[in-house]
Every structure is written in structure tokens, then in C-alpha cells.
Amino acid sequence: MTREPVTSQPNTEMQRIEYMGIDVLQRWPKNPKDHDLGAIQASVSRFGYVAPILIDEKSGRIVAGHGRLDLLVQMRHNGQPPPRRVLLSPEDGEWLVPVIRGISFANEQEAEAYLLADNQTTILGGWNDNDLFEMLSRQAAADSLLGTGFDAEDVEDLRQRLGAEAGTGQENAFTVYSAEIVGERIFEYFRRVGFPYRNLPLHAQMLEINRLAALEGDALLTSNYGYQVADTYHPHRFNCHAAEKRSPTDSFADDNQLRRAIRLSLENGTMITTEFFPMLGFVAGTQACSNFRPGIAVYYYRRFAPEGGTVLDPCTGYGGR
């Protein structure tokens, strides 16, 4: 049985998609949400432009999609071609982007409230770590993490956290010392010893390299063996900046950001030791550059380099290449 499409109903606003020039779109006067344009560009490069911008008809301003608009303006400024589903005007070559029209909020306060809700409600839900790890592992096995906002280090950190939780059999247990007291002692410790760079002793590096060398075939594509060895020789990657973001060392130097990273780690059951902990790279506006995964490098060496040959590796080290 089929039904005819509904074209109108009383008291129902009908959404529609229109293509509008990016120069005529009006931003909301203040948008407190920070954006990782590098991550957005990686996603758009892989999937094309997917999510339309949302406009409030009463004010004519954007209430969702500021980061996507910022990316398109940056891409055009850099002389890049428009991504898939962004059109060029035949008259003047202006970039035309899909926009959701037809939604009118009662007033500007309501529109602004929706802007906040649109950003915050996606954050509040968190993740089901077991399902997330299963999906990330599947994507990593296919070398398909590009554009997802996750990288190999995230997968490994999640694997270690799930393993630690499985071993203890308890989550976020603060029965003797409160999270506030523990968090403050952690803060004082790191203020005393400084940034927690990874620095494996030589014997641990040797064991990591042995584990990496023992892997065969596609197992190399999902392994993070050797990653902390690379960090030992590239500590400066934590100081570097990606797409105008704060580096982990910048956030570490900020008392509020460090305390926030510690609090998020404790709330999520993340083990905080004397080494770098993942939440330092997750606090708002922070992005760590990434090492090239050693397992993938070994995979390429074995597949393409002749026995005893010389390898010129442009991907060695950290950050963008």
C-alpha cells in the first residue's frame, strides 16, 4: 500500500532545500561553538557536502552550520574547487550551498536557544564505548578512518580504556576519595612535573618494535605498536598547531583547560598515569597532530620495498604531510 506525499497541513511549517550563495548567508552575531576546520574538511573531502545549513526565516540568520560555512569560505579563498554538492553559479561563479528554508522561530531568543541546543545535545549523549570501539576497529581495519574525526591513537586509547575497565570491574568508583579531591591531586602533580610527554625507556621501545615486526599482512593496518616509540622521538608534535587550534601543551598550560581535561577523564573512567592522557586532546579547541602509524609504514615497506632496498619515506614524523 502506498500513500500520496503530504503537501500541506494546517499549522505545519514545510521545510525545503534551496541553494544560496555563501556570500549572502548571514551568521548569527555570536556563535560560542568552536570548530575544527581540519576535521570538517577531511569529512567533506571524503563524503562531499552532506548536511545543509539551517536558516531562521524571521531573522534571516544561520542557526546551524557555521563551521561548514567557514570551511567553504576558507576553501574558496585557498583556490580549492568546491566539494561535491556545492554548485557554481553559471552567472558569476559564486559557490552555492544547500540551505534548509521554511523554519521560523518565534523570536530571536528562541532561535538562539536552538543554536545552543543544536550544538550541545549532540555532545551530551556521549558514546557507547563498546559499540564505538567495534565500529572504529572495523573502519581502521579497512584504513577508512579518514574524515570520521577519529584517528588510530583514539582507537588505541579506547582499547586500553575498555581493557582497564574490564580488569577492574568497577567504573568511576570514588567511595574513599571524591573525584574533586583526586582531580586536584592530579592537577597538582602535573603542575609539579610538567607536561606528560611520552618517553619509553629503551628496553620498552625494543619490545614494541619486536611486537610490531612479528605482525603479518593486514594485522599491521590496525596495530598501534610502535606509536609511543614514535612519540618518544617526536615529543614536539604535542607543541604543534593544527588548523589554528590549540596544541595539547597550550591547553596543559591553561589551568582551566587542564582541570577540565582531568575532570572529563575521571568522568569517563579514563586511566590517568604519569603519561599523556587522551582528554588533553579533546578539550574544546584543542587538536594534537598525529604520528604516521608505524604499522602502516611497515606494511608499505614489506609490500613495495625490495629486500635490502633504500626507502625515501615522505610520511615519517608527525602532523600533516
Side-chain angles (χ1 to χ4, degrees), residues 218-238:
D218 289 350
L220 288 164
L221 299 177
T222 58
S223 172
N224 281 290
Y225 286 148
Y227 202 94
Q228 293 195 27
V229 177
D231 273 346
T232 299
Y233 293 93
H234 298 130
H236 37 285
R237 84 174 177 93
F238 295 108

Side-chain angles (χ1 to χ4, degrees), residues 42-43 45-47 143-150:
S43 178
S45 297
R46 176 175 178 180
F47 305 112
D143 197 16
S144 190
L145 287 173
L146 178 66
T148 65
F150 295 93

Side-chain angles (χ1 to χ4, degrees), residues 157-234:
D157 289 333
L158 184 55
R159 182 190 68 78
Q160 292 182 6
R161 183 163 79 246
L162 289 172
E165 290 177 357
T168 60
Q170 51 186 327
E171 299 177 2
N172 301 338
F174 297 103
T175 53
V176 178
Y177 302 105
S178 70
E180 290 75 16
I181 292 175
V182 173
E184 195 58 26
R185 297 296 85 79
I186 294 171
F187 175 83
E188 292 170 357
Y189 169 81
F190 283 120
R191 277 289 169 262
R192 186 170 64 254
V193 302
F195 188 85
Y197 292 104
R198 286 173 173 146
N199 186 20
L200 292 187
L202 184 58
H203 69 273
Q205 295 179 43
M206 292 175 173
L207 291 172
E208 279 282 290
I209 297 302
N210 282 343
R211 294 188 185 103
L212 181 62
L215 296 178
E216 299 287 346
D218 289 350
L220 288 164
L221 299 177
T222 58
S223 172
N224 281 290
Y225 286 148
Y227 202 94
Q228 293 195 27
V229 177
D231 273 346
T232 299
Y233 293 93
H234 298 130

Side-chain angles (χ1 to χ4, degrees), residues 260-275:
R260 175 170 169 77
I262 292 170
R263 179 174 59 79
L264 289 172
S265 297
L266 293 175
E267 289 176 354
N268 285 275
T270 304
M271 181 68 68
I272 302 180
T273 62
T274 59
E275 298 179 343

Side-chain angles (χ1 to χ4, degrees), residues 39-236:
I40 298 174
Q41 180 158 15
S43 178
V44 168
S45 297
R46 176 175 178 180
F47 305 112
Y49 193 93
V50 177
I53 290 170
L54 173 60
I55 285 181
D56 168 38
E57 294 290 347
K58 272 197 172 65
S59 65
R61 296 171 180 154
I62 296 172
V63 291
H66 290 88
R68 299 189 290 280
L69 177 59
D70 288 343
L71 172 64
L72 294 178
V73 172
Q74 176 181 282
M75 291 178 67
R76 185 182 63 179
H77 176 76
N78 292 338
Q80 297 172 265
R84 281 176 294 153
R85 304 183 197 95
V86 173
L87 308 180
L88 286 176
S89 169
E91 288 83 17
D92 54 12
E94 184 178 10
W95 286 27
L96 305 175
V97 63
V99 176
I100 297 176
R101 303 296 304 269
I103 296 179
S104 293
F105 292 94
N107 50 50
E108 288 201 4
Q109 182 174 336
E110 284 296 289
E112 185 174 79
Y114 178 79
L115 182 152
L116 294 170
D118 182 64
N119 287 303
Q120 180 67 355
T121 52
T122 61
I123 298 172
L124 288 176
W127 294 96
N128 180 311
D129 283 349
N130 288 292
D131 290 346
L132 176 62
F133 180 67
E134 179 183 341
M135 295 178 71
L136 289 178
S137 299
R138 188 161 57 246
Q139 295 292 326
D143 197 16
S144 190
L145 287 173
L146 178 66
T148 65
F150 295 93
D151 59 21
E153 186 176 2
D154 298 326
V155 181
E156 177 62 13
D157 289 333
L158 184 55
R159 182 190 68 78
Q160 292 182 6
R161 183 163 79 246
L162 289 172
E165 290 177 357
T168 60
Q170 51 186 327
E171 299 177 2
N172 301 338
F174 297 103
T175 53
V176 178
Y177 302 105
S178 70
E180 290 75 16
I181 292 175
V182 173
E184 195 58 26
R185 297 296 85 79
I186 294 171
F187 175 83
E188 292 170 357
Y189 169 81
F190 283 120
R191 277 289 169 262
R192 186 170 64 254
V193 302
F195 188 85
Y197 292 104
R198 286 173 173 146
N199 186 20
L200 292 187
L202 184 58
H203 69 273
Q205 295 179 43
M206 292 175 173
L207 291 172
E208 279 282 290
I209 297 302
N210 282 343
R211 294 188 185 103
L212 181 62
L215 296 178
E216 299 287 346
D218 289 350
L220 288 164
L221 299 177
T222 58
S223 172
N224 281 290
Y225 286 148
Y227 202 94
Q228 293 195 27
V229 177
D231 273 346
T232 299
Y233 293 93
H234 298 130
H236 37 285

